[in-house]
Amino acid sequence: MSAGQMPPWLQEQLMKLQQSQQNLQSIMTQKQHLEMEKAETEKALEELKKVGDADAVYKQAGTVLLKSTKKDLVDELEEKQEMAKTRATVLEKQETRVKETLKEQEAKITEMMKGGSEAPKTEDNPRK
């Protein structure tokens, strides 16, 4: 079946399906970034634990290094970890939802294809 012969309802369903696939891709990318961030934060916390409480520590702010205290940095990194956990939970939920939507959309398309070129029954479409 070439695109020219594709019924509008099928084109619409395929577009929705594509949109869902793009959403899923975007969620996966965000999850990867989050994982990398998490690893960096954990590494920084590990390094900080080796430092004496009175030692000078620095944090990067853009292109400059700012002097800080071990306690401040640990607090900041732990807060960052908490926020990352929350974001990860949100992304998990989104991923599950989008995957369910994809399944439904694929089933719907399969169902429509089986019905041949007829429009889906939901639409009021008297045959010409």
Side-chain angles (χ1 to χ4, degrees):
M1 186 154 54
S2 74
Q5 300 166 300
M6 199 185 287
W9 53 263
L10 183 57
Q11 273 177 318
E12 192 189 329
Q13 286 305 316
L14 290 172
M15 272 169 65
K16 284 182 187 171
L17 186 71
Q18 241 178 344
Q19 188 65 55
S20 296
Q21 286 166 337
Q22 283 167 352
N23 288 349
L24 189 60
Q25 195 58 53
S26 162
I27 291 166
M28 295 309 207
T29 306
Q30 288 177 62
K31 277 177 75 174
Q32 274 179 327
H33 285 303
L34 209 52
E35 281 301 315
M36 278 163 41
E37 227 175 81
K38 197 174 134 195
E40 280 173 16
T41 306
E42 278 168 12
K43 196 169 187 292
L45 276 167
E46 262 172 49
E47 291 303 315
L48 269 174
K49 285 185 181 125
K50 300 174 189 171
V51 175
D53 289 337
D55 291 350
V57 286
Y58 298 87
K59 72 168 184 173
Q60 196 168 352
T63 52
V64 277
L65 286 175
L66 302 175
K67 195 167 183 180
S68 185
T69 67
K70 180 180 174 178
K71 187 190 178 308
D72 283 350
L73 275 185
V74 168
D75 288 348
E76 203 175 296
L77 288 167
E78 281 174 350
E79 189 181 322
K80 196 175 172 182
Q81 266 184 332
E82 279 310 306
M83 281 166 61
K85 263 187 209 154
T86 307
R87 273 182 57 207
T89 307
V90 171
L91 285 172
E92 285 296 332
K93 284 181 184 157
Q94 286 180 335
E95 183 187 348
T96 306
R97 236 192 350 256
V98 173
K99 280 181 173 169
E100 280 169 9
T101 304
L102 269 169
K103 259 199 212 123
E104 286 165 18
Q105 289 172 327
E106 283 167 358
K108 196 173 178 185
I109 289 170
T110 309
E111 203 50 48
M112 288 175 163
M113 301 285 275
K114 273 190 210 152
S117 58
E118 279 178 54
K121 302 285 175 276
T122 50
E123 285 172 31
D124 190 10
N125 192 357
R127 303 201 67 160
K128 304 265 182 304

